[in-house]
Amino acid sequence: MEAIKNAFNFSDLPKTELALASAVLVFLLGFPAMPHSSFGMATMIQFLAFSLYGMGWNLIGGYGGQVDLGKAQYVGIGAYTTAVMMIRWNVPFWFSLPLGMAFAVGWSFIIGYPLFRLKGHYFAIATIATSLVLKDLFEVWNFVGGARGLELPIKGDFPNWLYLQFREDYYYYYILLGMFLIGLIYVNGFRHSRLGYQLRAIKDNESVARSLGIDVHWSKIKAYATATAFVAAVGSFHACYNYNIEPEDVMSLDLSVLIAMMAMLGGAGSIWGPIIGAAILVPMKNYLGSWLGGQAGFAGMDLALYGLIIMVIAAAQPRGVYGIVEAVRARRR
Amino acid sequence: MEDLAIQATKSLVSGLLMGLVFALVALGLTVIFGVMDIVNFAHGEFLMVGMYTTLLTSPLLGIDPVLTLPIAGLVGALLGVMCYFGLIRFLIKGPMIAQLFGTFGLMIFLRNLALLFMGSEPRVIHQGWLVGKSFIVGPGVVLESTKLAVAVLSLVSFAVVWWLINRTKVGRALTATSLDAEGARYMGISTEKMNALAWAVGGASVGIAGGLLVNFWPVEPGVGLLFTMIAFATVALGGFGSVRGALVAGILIGIIVNIPPVWDSMMRLVDVTGLDIHSFKYTMVYAIYFLIMVLRPQGLFGWKQ
Amino acid sequence: MRKIAILAAIAIMVALLAPALAVAGPKEIKIGVIYPLTGSVAAAGRELRNGAELAAEIANNVMPKIDMTMAKNAGIKSLGGAKIVLIFKDHQGNPQLGADLAKKLIKDDKVVGILGCYHSSVTKTVSAVCERYGVPMINGSSTSPTLTKRGFKWFWRTTPHDKWFTKDLFEFLVGLSKGKVKGVKAVPMAELKTLASACEKTEWGSNVSLEIANFAKEYGFDLKANILYAAKSPDLSSEVQSMIATKPGAMLFASYTSDALLMIKTLKSMKAKPKVIWGQDAGFDKPEFRALGGEIEGILTRSVFLPSVVKMKPLAGEVNSMYAKKHGHDMDGASARSFTGLQTWVYVLEKAGSTEPKAIQQAANTISIPGKQLVVPWVGIKFSTKGDEIGQNVLGNGLIGQYQMKDGKIGLQVVFPFDMATAPMIFPFKGF
């Protein structure tokens, strides 16, 4: 009961932030009714997906301070669970979604236990290693199609709610928006939860946290597993949305890095950070790409600019865009 | 049985050579980390810049690619110093997250700048002293001249860096900075200068490595990623900041990736086909990395976590 | 006040109706073209784009010199001379981006149909979008066999796929043992029987690897090594060592450009000397590969278009010289297939006489383009409508070319099909 009350308790956030967040929420709810291009819609769906990835990453990376660069392996577990179950046994999305999350959490416990013996850079690189090992295994595992990937059959009779197959993107949009809101509320509850406080104590100073009687190792593993569930859920959704998955697509290092990067850019360790990061980077990547990338002779210009902006933000404010907002607010006061 | 022994020798030789290549690429990374606790995600991009430098300057000056190595080293050092003063100096004030994030940005920036100016097509050097030559020693054991040259350079570089750090005044200042930056400042050591020096040495070593590698490897803007990943595994396995560790770990990884032919010839001995482990060769590297790290969290020769 | 409101209402009505009136007689037919214009295969993307653009130019203008039906009319005759307009989009090799762009083309740009996408993985997601919206898509350059195994109703592929190409290879090897190859006496089967293959480990390479294993069994060859390697690998010496250790008669590869270059360099330094080296197009048929010069003499690659084909097909010569005049080099497999893909679009539209999806579907399923209309050396274009391959062109076939030095320049000569051979084959491979 307490947990639920906490989850809906946003009162400790500044009023301006809440007002802005409500405005954004209204915009998100009404977006499909506004005039938009279908590329805009696809960009919004990606924005929601990366916000969710980022929220997951933020639980362990932001609140816990453990830089995780292997989130793509859980995207893959979620996506593959849904795809394999639909193709082989005709299992609807709504059943494979929780199963995918459960598999991901299970796997996170298996590797989380040894992983969290490592710290700092060693930890970051070990997460990359585990993710690459899993990807390599999936690339030769014939049961899941190997490197050839899996293609979901088109069931027909749209809209098909059971298997999440729609002709128009706004169905996908609202489903993902629902997941987004659940995620946001969960993260808000997490902030106020016992685990949330423990993690922040660990991030500040591990030995102090330990002396306070916090089981550091176990707390990290729990937060890591929770983060994993978020990522796997979006992975399941991605399989249905994209109709085709390959290890190279859903488990690549690029995806892991992108997930971490969005959350870091927005501001790791704050509730709005991953959302801000996704809201900046996703449209920038898509639209810079279609403006500059398509022109002959400018290949690479868009991403070079993208890299430059990331460098500038990282150098200017280590806590990301949200850090800049906070700094400005502190100065006003 | 004899077949197996020959194959094992062959693999050991090419493993050693490749291992020294990996170690040389990783050297710069470990020097930088040792001094200032920062992991440079753009390390492979430094390598790429070194490769392009030799590729472009050699025909421009009309000299053999090997002779352009000082230029590649200089460009690498300059790039390192520029990155330090333009970006890293700001990043080290922040937490580890911000450092990773900033060097990611650098990686994306450099790679796409190369794409913009050089195009995406892979390029190779067609002529030179080292290009396309190899020696056969013993039954079927081949030494490729480029890899041999890189291996020799690798050993020399490790010796030089080891000497620099352990036997010179500058090296002691570097070590002092890495152990306790604040303390070093009180002792009158300019940590700023030391950091810049570390970036210069790191950049130069990887630049030279790139200049030599391009005699054998094709270069394209994305070439850095796999080398970066292996360099990370090498440095972490050896222990961050340990020069000796990087050498040993590099050789270990070189030998691991050359196991598959031995496995194949073992399978032929017992007449089993269809068990291909080539596609797992990097998986094995990461898996062994993971196992060793779990057993020894500070790496093979590391002293700090 | 009320007057203004009425005026405003009229203005809005006009604004809404104007575009509708403008398109009353279709003067333009928009085709969305999705190719990898940037990213790691941008070089191929450029060729693909040039090929499609040239085909559109020939369709839109009268060119009496070229002996093609589409060159005789300006635009689509059955649609009142409507012109083909191509809208290019860049998918960067990213399946998700490809699907997003397809939606943009279909919903925002209102294209009649789609051409693309080169990467089989992107073609998969894009064709799934087309299938959902009921928009026709013609694919000219993706070779994954699975694409036409899905029973899609809105997807047609003109190019033969990897299964055919791999079968060609085995037909060629058998022909070699029977003395069918121009300039080579029958080679004892024992010399060729042992095979070793190395394919890159993504969707394309692992499919090829599987096909090689299947056909080797079917044709009675002994595939001693069947290796998958990580693409863009920093080191290929262990793969090459394993292949050499099996003492193969033929080495078979499926590699993209940078891997192909590194593979040749490693083969050379390890002094590999098989009788035959064969590459599955891609990296083995790129200008960067050709730049290796004399080193690659004797290496085989499959393709669908080789400049030496023009000896057999005057039409191909005409089109190729137009292409060479514009871009400074000959057409290659990518541009020729892209050209043919768009050409098929033009013929389908001409036959349909309408831009309605249903009419286009009907036309595509019944079309038959004779081989003499095409620049590629195929019997023609006719799509299968039943069986286990839906939408696949059944009249296509591949070529195997060999790199040979001629007047100090490296170039490809046709060695398979045997009756199309343009030069005697160099056999065995002379070594590096």
Side-chain angles (χ1 to χ4, degrees), chain C residues 234-256:
Chain C
D235 182 31
L236 291 171
S237 56
S238 76
E239 282 82 359
V240 170
Q241 277 189 2
S242 275
M243 290 174 89
I244 292 175
T246 62
K247 302 187 182 68
M251 286 186 173
L252 317 173
F253 297 103
S255 308
Y256 287 119

Side-chain angles (χ1 to χ4, degrees), chain C residues 35-191:
Chain C
Y35 280 142
L37 302 174
T38 64
S40 57
V41 289
R46 204 174 50 227
E47 299 294 314
L48 292 162
R49 181 182 187 141
N50 292 341
E53 274 175 345
L54 183 63
E57 194 187 325
I58 294 175
N60 286 341
N61 297 293
V62 179
M63 294 191 183
K65 248 173 57 190
I66 293 173
D67 190 22
M68 257 180 207
T69 358
M70 74 171 182
K72 302 230 165 13
N73 318 318
I76 311 285
K77 202 173 151 200
S78 66
L79 282 163
K83 297 268 199 282
I84 300 282
V85 176
L86 301 180
I87 305 178
F88 284 95
K89 293 285 174 218
D90 171 26
H91 66 60
Q92 301 168 10
N94 178 341
Q96 168 91 61
L97 181 60
D100 290 349
L101 291 170
K103 285 173 200 159
K104 182 182 169 70
L105 286 166
I106 292 167
K107 294 196 68 187
D108 302 348
D109 298 321
K110 306 260 184 290
V111 294
V112 168
I114 302 262
L115 176 72
C117 306
Y118 191 67
H119 289 80
S120 293
S121 53
V122 185
T123 304
K124 266 185 197 167
T125 56
V126 168
S127 58
V129 170
C130 290
E131 189 74 10
R132 265 185 287 159
Y133 284 103
V135 170
M137 167 174 188
I138 293 180
N139 165 274
S141 47
S142 304
T143 54
S144 171
T146 49
L147 286 171
T148 40
K149 291 239 161 76
R150 303 173 296 172
F152 276 20
K153 294 185 192 72
W154 300 96
F155 181 78
W156 296 273
R157 167 160 65 184
T158 52
T159 180
H161 55 64
D162 286 334
K163 195 167 174 182
W164 301 34
F165 291 136
T166 314
K167 192 176 157 86
D168 282 353
L169 164 75
F170 282 89
E171 288 288 335
F172 167 77
L173 289 175
V174 169
L176 201 56
S177 74
K178 289 187 178 147
K180 283 191 190 161
V181 178
K182 190 173 173 181
V184 185
K185 282 198 205 101
V187 181
M189 195 58 182
E191 277 186 37

Side-chain angles (χ1 to χ4, degrees), chain A residues 37-39 42 46 136 139 147-148 151 154 158 166-169 238 241-244 246 293 299, chain C residues 38 90 96 100-101 103-104 107-108 121 124-125 128 131-133 150 152 201-203 206-207 210:
Chain A
S37 70
S38 64
F39 193 64
Q46 265 187 51
D136 279 356
E139 277 180 341
R148 297 176 298 283
E151 195 166 18
I154 296 178
F158 302 108
F166 309 106
R167 181 170 280 140
E168 300 301 331
D169 270 358
H238 176 88
Y241 175 62
N242 214 31
Y243 289 77
N244 181 52
E246 285 167 30
Chain C
T38 64
D90 171 26
Q96 168 91 61
D100 290 349
L101 291 170
K103 285 173 200 159
K104 182 182 169 70
K107 294 196 68 187
D108 302 348
S121 53
K124 266 185 197 167
T125 56
E131 189 74 10
R132 265 185 287 159
Y133 284 103
R150 303 173 296 172
F152 276 20
K201 196 175 62 168
T202 65
E203 120 90 49
S206 50
N207 260 320
L210 210 64

Side-chain angles (χ1 to χ4, degrees), chain B residues 1-12 141 262 265 269:
Chain B
M1 212 59 210
E2 197 186 307
D3 200 38
L4 182 63
I6 291 173
Q7 188 57 58
T9 326
K10 276 194 212 173
S11 289
L12 197 66
V141 179
V262 182
S265 93
L269 224 56

Side-chain angles (χ1 to χ4, degrees), chain B residues 103-118:
Chain B
T103 56
F104 276 150
L106 184 62
M107 170 180 87
I108 297 175
F109 178 68
L110 287 176
R111 187 186 298 171
N112 287 285
L113 217 55
L115 183 65
L116 185 61
F117 289 113
M118 305 303 304

